[in-house]
Amino acid sequence: MQYNFKKIAVVPPASEFIDAVLSRTQRQTPTVVHAGYAVTRIRQFYMRKVKYTQQSWNEKLSRILEDFPRVDDVHPFYGDLLNVLYDKDHYKLALGQLNTARAMIDKIAKDYVKLLKYGDSLYRCKQLKRAALGRMCTIMKKHAASLAYLEQVRQHMSRLPSIDPNTRTILVCGYPNVGKSSFMNKVTRADVEVQPYAFTTKSIYVGHTDYKYLRWQVLDTPGILDRPLDERNTIEMQSITALAHLRAVVLYIVDISEQCGFTIAQQAALFHSIKPLFANKPLVVAINKIDVRKLEDLSEADRSLIDGMRDAMRGPAAMQLGDDDAFPIMSTLSENGVMEVKNRCCDLLLAHRVEQKLASRRAGEVMNRLHVATPVPRDNKARPAYVPPTLEASRARKAAGEKIITEKDLQEQNGGAGVYSADLRKRYMLENDDWKYDIVPEIYNGKNVADFIDPEIEAKLAELEREEEELEAKWEASRMDREPQEPELDEDERALLGEVRTRRNKLVAEHRRKKSAANNNPVVPRKADAERKLNTSNMKESLESMGLDASAAVERARSRSRVVKRGRSTLRDRDEDMSNADGEDKKKMRTSKSRSKSVAKRVGDDKGAGFKSVDDRMRAAKLADKAQRKRNKQAKAGEADRSIGNTLPKWLNSGKRGNGKTDRR
Amino acid sequence: MRLEKCWFCSSTVYPGHGICFVRNDSKMFRFCRSKCHKNFKMKRNPRKVKWTKAYRAIHGKDLSADNIFNFERRRNRPVRYNRELTHKTLAALRTVDEIRTKRDKRHYEQRMKGISDRVRRKDKSELQKQVHLVKAPTSAVQIAQTTREKVAVSKYTSLSILYE
């Protein structure tokens, strides 16, 4: 169980509490009602208000009642502490009053809801609701004092140190001003106020320290005076509570210097009077302020008093530790012996707790499962650790006083670091010491020399050479088989082959060129051949180059394309041929002056070109241009864009048809 | 310092050359040049790439599976240095190299055996089949010669007998 009282919700004062509940009702329930409504509806409206208010009161009060710890349920230490600090009766009463208020509010709500069932008008219902809420608020107003008290308690509790009553704890106690807080400051990281007057510490403080890898809680308690329990004040009672209920080691600090204003006799008297509280707890009596006064300087009487306290200290746990005679002395000022005191406390408590655990019933179960193995030596033979002989030798040399020269010494002798370079080869272990500084090739002729190193290389090499000779002989013997059988081509043939190849290559290249051109262009009729290669003259040429008479072929080709001429033209043709044969001038024949040259009417660069004027022509051209120009649609949707006319066609999307007509849905 | 073999083309990689790729299973891939590295990255199989040693060895282009290759072997167990042994090794290295060159040459010659016969036969048939590209068939030539003396064919007279 965690003892953390920091999470208790705030207890509001009565007036605020009432405001909060009423405004919540206003916000969370409907607010509009009219007299014209059905009376059941009006009743329901007001009943809801009453019930809702009751519910919120109930919730909030239950929360408070749950949050505050019940004195009987918490650890007795906390129970007593609550009693000492806040007065158990008062605390219980306040909580009880809230509990009653809750019940009363529930009762009121129940009654008024019953009454509301008989409300016959809006006015009456409203009055009933007012009465109900008013009574609820009056009840809470009456408990304003309890609420205020609980709020104060809550604030105080939230500041209580979180003490775990079940862990390992060192409880420091003693007269006021004996150095309890100083000890705490030295041992833990808690920063407790230390002042040279009594009751500086007014409540319990908690600090934590480590010992044997465990976490220890150190409680600093307020000082106690030696008087009857009834007369003790609240501050002292806190210490008494802690002493009474915590299973801790008690560290009783005695001020040997008497600077605290109490004599050793008084301190011893207090010790003996609160001794019943130390029962069943390990106890350490520590002498403080030995920097002021030594233990030896004490008078006989004081000495005997302290011895008396020490006798009380002897318990079973201390016996177990075995050094019960040692009297812990310390000085929190000079920090002498502080740690010893702490360690002694911790050891005692650990021993005590172990003892308690062993005494409990569960110990047996655990012990049964434990087994501690202790090996027994099988014989008397000594089995020392192995030391290498070289190490022994070197140890012996060292023992004989021989100076061993190290690389470091050599470095110092030969110019120091950065100048001297260590000789790594001198300790090589080779067959012959002369070889130590050989320069060995790693790479030879594109090979790694290391890959060839083989102790039997000579034998292998001899074998290889013998094999090679055999192979060579065989190769020589088979020379005749390798000679070519086929006769070679002679000079002329080779020349002709060369020509054939040239020609073929040309043809292939030409074909490829045409093929690729044809792939990229539309297929054109053969007569539209762009290069005009496929004409009769080319055919004639190529045929003749091969030594053929092409005249017949040419004649036949031309006869196809030759136009049948009319009489005169044929004559003229023949005349031409004849004149050619005669070798006369052609030009002369053409420039005959029998008839004047006929001139066609020129149309091209006419000004109007069919129109009335140039302006008309221009306008027409413009209009034609305009008519043909494509409209700039400026990214508007055109006919090519996809469009869905009806996004939700009814016939697709309306529901099932009924049993009736089938023609429409 | 060691001469390594290129993973792709099996050529020698001299110190300071090429690049080494270490895969996440710690296998090392050494490459003699960026060409081999790129081919590796393209996931090409060196056995199928014609210019690599692996291809040539598989396809019988180069000498492989010969005693000569038993001399060079990676030795992972270090041997203590011995001067005489090293001398012998260096001498053997030279001899082995000479013998290997000879065997390479013989291998090549063996491989090329009969190839000139094939080439000659091919040339002959080519000439026979394609002579018409530059020369008209014999019958046509003869007609041309009788009808017209225009074209000189004397250049190939010897052939006219051949193609009768």
Side-chain angles (χ1 to χ4, degrees):
Chain A
M1 188 175 171
Q2 270 296 109
Y3 289 101
N4 193 353
F5 304 124
K6 290 182 177 65
K7 280 176 188 156
I8 303 173
V10 179
V11 182
S15 59
E16 261 180 46
F17 207 175
I18 289 165
D19 285 351
V21 170
L22 290 186
S23 80
R24 187 164 179 231
T25 309
Q26 183 70 4
R27 275 186 286 112
Q28 306 283 355
T29 53
T31 49
V32 180
V33 71
H34 294 294
Y37 286 171
V39 74
T40 46
R41 191 174 168 190
I42 296 168
R43 277 181 206 142
Q44 206 212 346
F45 175 87
Y46 285 111
M47 275 197 234
R48 188 168 172 188
K49 293 240 175 210
V50 173
K51 274 184 191 163
Y52 194 84
T53 316
Q54 175 259 328
Q55 226 172 355
S56 348
W57 279 122
N58 193 312
E59 256 170 43
K60 297 202 170 200
L61 290 171
S62 306
R63 175 89 196 276
I64 292 170
L65 290 171
E66 254 170 50
D67 276 356
F68 277 91
R70 261 180 245 160
V71 179
D72 303 332
D73 287 356
V74 293
H75 190 272
F77 163 66
Y78 273 108
D80 266 8
L81 197 64
L82 292 182
N83 184 20
V84 166
L85 292 170
Y86 318 122
D87 186 10
K88 191 163 132 193
D89 294 339
H90 194 169
Y91 179 79
K92 273 189 159 177
L93 200 70
L95 286 179
Q97 276 179 339
L98 288 193
N99 197 21
T100 341
R102 186 174 64 172
M104 279 165 81
I105 286 169
D106 288 355
K107 182 90 192 327
I108 288 168
K110 206 177 155 195
D111 289 350
Y112 276 85
V113 165
K114 217 181 264 175
L115 284 176
L116 268 165
K117 282 181 186 166
Y118 301 101
D120 53 1
S121 67
L122 184 134
Y123 177 74
R124 284 204 183 137
C125 290
K126 189 174 177 180
Q127 291 310 101
L128 281 169
K129 180 215 79 172
R130 259 186 88 191
L133 264 56
R135 282 188 65 187
M136 287 178 193
C137 294
T138 317
I139 287 171
M140 286 316 294
K141 245 185 240 169
K142 276 182 192 158
H143 295 312
S146 308
L147 288 171
Y149 166 76
L150 281 176
E151 170 60 11
Q152 277 194 326
V153 167
R154 185 196 68 83
Q155 283 176 5
H156 195 274
M157 273 166 93
S158 70
R159 284 181 213 125
L160 277 183
S162 55
I163 300 165
D164 186 353
N166 296 319
T167 60
R168 298 163 290 271
T169 312
I170 301 172
L171 196 61
V172 191
C173 64
Y175 255 111
N177 218 10
V178 291
K180 298 183 292 297
S181 297
S182 307
F183 174 78
M184 170 95 165
N185 282 348
K186 291 286 179 269
V187 165
T188 72
R189 290 178 61 199
D191 191 14
V192 186
E193 196 187 3
V194 177
Q195 294 292 345
Y197 51 79
F199 292 116
T200 310
T201 308
K202 292 193 206 69
S203 63
I204 301 175
Y205 284 89
V206 185
H208 290 92
T209 184
D210 280 343
Y211 179 68
K212 285 192 173 170
Y213 307 107
L214 296 169
R215 212 162 160 68
W216 297 74
Q217 197 173 244
V218 183
L219 294 189
D220 180 21
T221 60
I224 317 169
L225 296 176
D226 188 17
R227 52 186 175 187
L229 198 62
D230 319 337
E231 291 171 20
R232 289 189 195 281
N233 59 20
T234 316
I235 300 173
E236 286 175 281
M237 280 310 287
Q238 291 182 38
S239 304
I240 300 294
T241 312
L243 279 172
H245 293 293
L246 292 179
R247 292 195 313 164
V249 58
V250 178
L251 176 64
Y252 185 81
I253 295 184
V254 177
D255 179 2
I256 197 174
S257 68
E258 298 178 346
Q259 274 175 346
C260 60
F262 302 99
T263 59
I264 291 176
Q266 279 173 315
Q267 294 183 46
L270 172 68
F271 177 81
H272 289 295
S273 73
I274 60 170
K275 204 159 66 176
L277 294 172
F278 306 153
N280 295 325
K281 278 188 204 112
L283 171 69
V284 177
V285 179
I287 310 291
N288 195 14
K289 307 197 188 175
I290 52 157
D291 50 330
V292 181
R293 194 176 178 192
K294 291 271 180 326
L295 198 59
E296 295 83 49
D297 303 341
L298 286 179
S299 64
E300 269 305 308
D302 289 346
R303 182 81 206 189
S304 67
L305 282 172
I306 285 176
D307 283 342
M309 283 194 270
R310 186 171 66 176
D311 290 339
M313 212 172 104
R314 287 198 178 125
M319 293 294 230
Q320 205 176 26
L321 281 178
D323 56 348
D324 53 336
D325 276 347
F327 215 135
I329 49 172
M330 65 175 173
S331 159
T332 48
L333 186 73
S334 60
E335 289 190 36
N336 273 338
V338 173
M339 283 303 138
E340 284 76 15
V341 170
K342 184 192 103 178
N343 294 353
R344 193 177 162 77
C345 290
C346 295
D347 285 336
L348 266 179
L349 184 61
L350 268 187
H352 179 73
R353 282 169 78 102
V354 167
E355 200 175 280
Q356 272 190 328
K357 275 180 187 161
L358 280 176
S360 73
R361 265 183 299 155
R362 276 180 54 212
E365 293 170 25
V366 178
M367 295 301 277
N368 282 343
R369 278 181 248 155
L370 289 178
H371 171 70
V372 181
T374 42
V376 183
R378 61 186 151 165
D379 49 23
N380 293 328
K381 206 171 152 189
R383 291 187 176 80
Y386 173 71
V387 180
T390 49
L391 180 61
E392 267 177 3
S394 100
R395 275 178 185 166
R397 272 195 293 155
K398 219 171 184 181
E402 192 180 325
K403 172 81 177 120
I404 297 166
I405 297 169
T406 60
E407 276 299 310
K408 205 168 180 184
D409 298 333
L410 283 174
Q411 178 182 297
E412 291 311 316
Q413 283 165 20
N414 296 299
V419 178
Y420 174 73
S421 85
D423 185 6
L424 300 174
R425 292 181 163 224
K426 68 183 170 194
R427 294 197 201 282
Y428 276 9
M429 290 184 290
L430 300 178
E431 282 171 46
N432 190 336
D433 280 349
D434 296 347
W435 298 347
K436 272 185 186 175
Y437 294 95
D438 279 4
I439 296 165
V440 187
E442 280 184 65
I443 298 165
Y444 181 75
N445 237 349
K447 304 276 184 209
N448 293 308
V449 175
D451 287 354
F452 285 87
I453 290 207
D454 184 4
E456 292 119 48
I457 194 154
E458 273 188 321
K460 282 184 182 173
L461 195 63
E463 171 67 15
L464 183 76
E465 275 170 338
R466 195 189 51 72
E467 189 190 279
E468 177 62 17
E469 267 170 37
E470 271 177 30
L471 286 175
E472 189 72 49
K474 234 191 256 173
W475 183 252
E476 282 303 318
S478 68
R479 176 177 287 280
M480 284 309 287
D481 302 345
R482 298 198 303 274
E483 293 300 319
Q485 311 280 311
E486 199 75 14
E488 224 174 331
L489 296 180
D490 67 11
E491 194 78 9
D492 282 351
E493 281 171 334
R494 250 183 281 143
L496 190 57
L497 184 60
E499 255 180 82
V500 165
R501 282 179 180 159
T502 318
R503 174 78 185 138
R504 196 181 59 213
N505 289 347
K506 259 188 189 168
L507 284 173
V508 168
E510 182 73 0
H511 175 250
R512 282 185 185 153
R513 191 183 57 74
K514 276 184 189 166
K515 200 179 172 191
S516 70
N519 283 343
N520 289 332
N521 297 326
V523 178
V524 292
R526 207 171 145 181
K527 61 184 175 187
D529 179 26
E531 291 93 21
R532 301 285 173 196
K533 279 282 175 66
L534 303 172
N535 51 20
T536 319
S537 58
N538 275 356
M539 178 181 76
K540 187 184 171 209
E541 210 173 89
S542 72
L543 283 172
E544 280 177 353
S545 75
M546 286 194 289
L548 293 169
D549 181 10
S551 56
V554 168
E555 184 59 28
R556 196 177 65 216
R558 293 218 164 127
S559 72
R560 283 191 168 186
S561 60
R562 191 182 292 141
V563 184
V564 181
K565 288 168 187 162
R566 298 212 183 111
R568 227 178 74 166
S569 321
T570 332
L571 264 179
R572 196 168 61 187
D573 233 32
R574 200 187 298 149
D575 285 350
E576 258 181 34
D577 283 352
M578 283 169 72
S579 65
N580 254 349
D582 291 345
E584 274 182 38
D585 199 0
K586 267 187 186 173
K587 224 174 184 179
K588 209 176 180 182
M589 289 298 288
R590 250 184 212 172
T591 55
S592 115
K593 286 184 180 170
S594 56
R595 129 179 202 274
S596 64
K597 189 183 171 191
S598 53
V599 179
K601 196 188 176 190
R602 293 171 71 195
V603 183
D605 41 340
D606 210 28
K607 278 181 187 160
F611 291 92
K612 240 190 244 171
S613 66
V614 178
D615 284 349
D616 275 359
R617 196 185 69 181
M618 300 285 269
R619 201 175 302 128
K622 261 187 192 170
L623 279 172
D625 273 356
K626 216 173 183 183
Q628 283 173 2
R629 198 188 302 154
K630 275 182 186 158
R631 190 160 66 95
N632 183 3
K633 287 189 295 185
Q634 289 175 319
K636 284 176 203 153
E639 62 182 346
D641 290 299
R642 184 165 176 261
S643 76
I644 299 166
N646 190 358
T647 46
L648 263 177
K650 179 147 199 220
W651 59 273
L652 261 180
N653 293 292
S654 46
K656 289 179 178 175
R657 71 172 175 84
N659 259 344
K661 288 182 176 177
T662 57
D663 62 341
R664 60 199 286 242
R665 295 194 195 186
Chain B
M1 207 58 61
R2 251 190 90 78
L3 301 181
E4 304 285 355
K5 290 284 178 227
C6 174
W7 183 86
F8 199 82
C9 72
S10 314
S11 66
T12 312
V13 186
Y14 278 78
H17 289 253
I19 203 165
C20 178
F21 166 61
V22 184
R23 202 162 61 185
N24 70 352
D25 63 354
S26 78
K27 184 169 167 28
M28 282 169 87
F29 298 88
R30 292 171 192 282
F31 303 104
C32 59
R33 51 192 153 154
S34 59
K35 178 185 179 182
C36 293
H37 189 206
K38 281 170 190 161
N39 273 279
F40 171 79
K41 285 191 286 191
M42 286 191 277
K43 303 197 173 187
R44 280 194 185 152
N45 186 351
R47 292 172 167 226
K48 292 182 180 170
V49 178
K50 293 205 172 170
W51 48 268
T52 66
K53 187 86 181 167
Y55 178 92
R56 293 187 66 81
I58 290 169
H59 293 81
K61 312 279 183 198
D62 277 346
L63 194 61
S64 63
D66 196 291
N67 279 343
I68 204 89
F69 299 115
N70 293 344
F71 283 84
E72 187 177 11
R73 188 148 46 82
R74 178 139 199 176
R75 279 153 231 269
N76 291 321
R77 198 171 303 149
V79 183
R80 206 165 270 177
Y81 170 70
N82 186 320
R83 189 186 282 177
E84 277 119 43
L85 182 61
T86 310
H87 276 307
K88 270 189 258 172
T89 307
L90 285 172
L93 237 159
R94 261 168 252 143
T95 325
V96 167
D97 206 37
E98 276 162 24
I99 293 173
R100 193 184 48 79
T101 323
K102 273 190 214 161
R103 288 190 177 183
D104 275 347
K105 195 164 165 258
R106 282 211 298 268
H107 178 76
Y108 176 79
E109 277 172 15
Q110 180 66 27
R111 205 151 65 79
M112 293 297 149
K113 193 179 90 177
I115 201 132
S116 57
D117 273 353
R118 236 178 298 150
V119 171
R120 283 175 195 179
R121 243 176 277 137
K122 209 175 127 238
D123 283 353
K124 210 166 178 180
S125 83
E126 190 183 348
L127 190 59
Q128 262 179 3
K129 283 177 185 163
Q130 299 191 337
V131 75
H132 66 85
L133 287 176
V134 291
K135 202 155 184 303
T138 326
S139 55
V141 171
Q142 277 174 342
I143 291 161
Q145 275 174 340
T146 48
T147 49
R148 272 176 92 157
E149 299 287 322
K150 214 173 178 181
V151 184
V153 281
S154 59
K155 201 175 168 189
Y156 301 126
T157 34
S158 63
L159 270 176
S160 58
I161 305 146
L162 189 71
Y163 297 108
E164 262 165 16

